[in-house]
Amino acid sequence: GGTYVVVSNRNFADQLKSGQFITLVLFLAVHHARSNFVAITARNFLSFLGDDDTGNKYLFLFQLLNPVSIFALPLYDFIGRKGGFYASFQTINILGICHGIIQVSSNNLNVQVFGFIMYSMYRGILYGT
């Protein structure tokens, strides 16, 4: 064994090879891909649920709610200050899971609005962390 060296005190190459950095890259890659997949497929998903019959009202609402997550910045700041990266990352996981459950568990477009809110919060903390 050896003495543990804090990642920030390691040389750049060793930082890139650290378990913490690799875990961070994988975590963010998965969540970034998920976030983009949801955004890109929202039109088709909502159309499948019948949004075309409403004149794409729910797609418009989905797009409108995306920037609303900025109002939760004080919450993200609180989570990050009190719990650090661990709490922030777990919050990302929880919001992503909540959104996913809503998305797959209901064909009701009105219920999907709660999913839009979860997605907005998920995306806000993902890119704010």
Side-chain angles (χ1 to χ4, degrees), residues 1-121:
T3 306
Y4 179 79
V5 177
V6 177
V7 174
S8 62
N9 293 336
R10 299 176 192 178
N11 68 46
F12 185 68
D14 287 341
Q15 287 182 26
L16 294 179
K17 293 184 281 183
S18 70
Q20 295 93 330
F21 182 78
I22 292 169
T23 302
L24 175 66
V25 168
L26 291 174
F27 178 87
L28 293 176
V30 167
H31 282 286
H32 184 72
R34 181 192 185 282
S35 176
N36 284 343
F37 179 79
V38 169
I40 291 168
T41 61
R43 164 83 174 86
N44 291 337
F45 173 71
L46 294 171
S47 175
F48 176 76
L49 297 182
D51 193 32
D52 288 346
D53 299 335
T54 70
N56 295 312
K57 178 176 78 172
Y58 290 91
L59 179 61
F60 177 74
L61 190 57
F62 173 76
Q63 293 168 337
L64 189 67
L65 284 174
N66 269 313
V68 171
S69 65
I70 196 164
F71 295 113
L73 282 175
L75 175 63
Y76 306 151
D77 183 54
F78 175 78
I79 292 168
R81 277 188 291 113
K82 291 295 181 185
F85 282 112
Y86 178 79
S88 295
F89 289 170
Q90 291 306 325
T91 303
I92 292 168
N93 284 331
I94 290 166
L95 290 170
I97 290 168
C98 288
H99 170 254
I101 289 171
I102 291 168
Q103 196 173 31
V104 301
S105 66
S106 177
N107 290 333
N108 185 323
L109 286 166
N110 292 319
V111 173
Q112 293 300 320
V113 173
F114 294 109
F116 302 165
I117 295 166
M118 289 292 113
Y119 177 73
S120 177
M121 297 299 125

